[in-house]
Amino acid sequence: MFRLVQTLNFKANLFPIWFMRQAGRYLPEFRKMRLQKKNFLDLCLDSKISNEITLQPIKRFNLDAVIIFSDILIIPNSLGQKVYYIENVGPILEPFQKKNLLKISEYHKFIRKNSEVYNQIKIVKKKIKRKNLIGFAGAPWTLAVYMLNRKSPNNNFKAKSLNITNKLINLLTDFVTLHIEKQIESGAEVIQIFDSWAGLIKKNQLYKFCYYPTKAILNSVKRKFPNIPIICFPRGIGKEYKNFVNFVKPDCISIDQFINPSWAIANFNGTPIQGGIDPTVFCREKKCVKNITYKFLNIFKDYPYIFNLGHGIMPDAKIENIMHMVEIVKENRL
Ligand code: CP3
């Protein structure tokens, strides 16, 4: 089990615990901070505010890892396609125009536009010494889906009609790599790549749109920073998770709630696993939280595992339920 600590560099001994979207609307202190800026990305691009938001869930729950407060859509926004967030709707992107996007030769402009994200990491790093600091980025496919669809995909989404080109995937691969490297240079110790809409890719196109670009990012980052663990989250690809793990070889694989954790243990060749807990559990009764926490403690008792959900914390999650899970996990480790 200690291999997890070594490979992932996590500073907790057993069963590290943190949550995707741990800083978010379910927290009253976040809702209060949110009022400081009209547009959501302006919160992310003000390191004085964003570093405080990053630390809110740590102060409340004493989690083991700190994920920086930012958003995957910061990349399209800084490439020149503006992103707005509308309450109860989600992100809306302005029309996609290839000619308006930065080219990789203009990387210095991209770095300048995101300098507040990198500043935030430096500030958090000084404030928090004994916890892992996680930086992140969206995967090229998921970013391309947002850029061409201009909002989150819905049920009748047709990937084909978007005409996602290799050229766009390659451009995004370069900028995602750059964004990750800048975060590591600023102090990020672990990286997570979110491919939230990988589940929309046709089976015969998974290599082209998901595995190859992700592998290219891993290879580049590993060449410069061989000791920084990378967690991958190709959400929604079902049984194809097995091929993903075999081909991409991430340091840790984050599973969604539709993956059977015992199947994952049997098929992932010892690759550390993260997540998989149904996020709706935090909206239910306390005893459901207890049951699922013990279920995961038991399933993963002999396998490197990071406690987390199968997706982000929901806005109507109950704070006392989150506290309950953290307490049970901490009581049961060592
Ligand atoms: O996890 C964390 O606490 C770190 C911060 C973080 C946010 N977004 C903050 C946020 C991270 C890691 C993300 C990743 C992200 N953003 C993803 C990948 C993970 C996933 O959920 O699949 C995606 C697809 C996005 C794009 C995005 N940003 C959407 C679809 C939305 C609206 C939906 C929603 O849940 O509100 C956002 C807004 C957003 N990003 C909020 C937060 C806290 C809510 C902001 C608000 O409404 O005030």
Side-chain angles (χ1 to χ4, degrees), residues 18-25 30 34 40 43-44 57 67-73 85 87 89-91 136 142 146 152 194 196-197 233 235 311-312 315:
W18 70 280
F19 299 108
M20 294 186 252
R21 290 280 171 94
Q22 59 192 26
R25 273 166 301 175
F30 173 81
R34 177 71 187 86
F40 173 75
L43 281 181
C44 306
I67 183 161
I68 64 153
F69 182 74
S70 177
D71 198 87
I72 63 163
L73 299 180
Y85 293 79
E87 218 182 316
V89 174
F136 69 89
T142 289
Y146 275 105
S152 297
F194 290 89
S196 303
W197 297 109
F233 183 33
R235 188 172 75 95
H311 202 188

Side-chain angles (χ1 to χ4, degrees), residues 72 75 135-139 143 176 179-180 183 191-195:
I72 63 163
I75 290 186
F136 69 89
L143 296 180
V176 168
H179 191 48
I180 290 174
Q183 292 180 67
I191 294 294
Q192 176 151 336
I193 300 175
F194 290 89
D195 213 347

Side-chain angles (χ1 to χ4, degrees), residues 11-31:
K11 290 165 188 166
N13 285 344
L14 270 180
F15 294 126
I17 181 166
W18 70 280
F19 299 108
M20 294 186 252
R21 290 280 171 94
Q22 59 192 26
R25 273 166 301 175
Y26 75 99
L27 283 176
E29 57 270 37
F30 173 81
R31 295 197 295 271

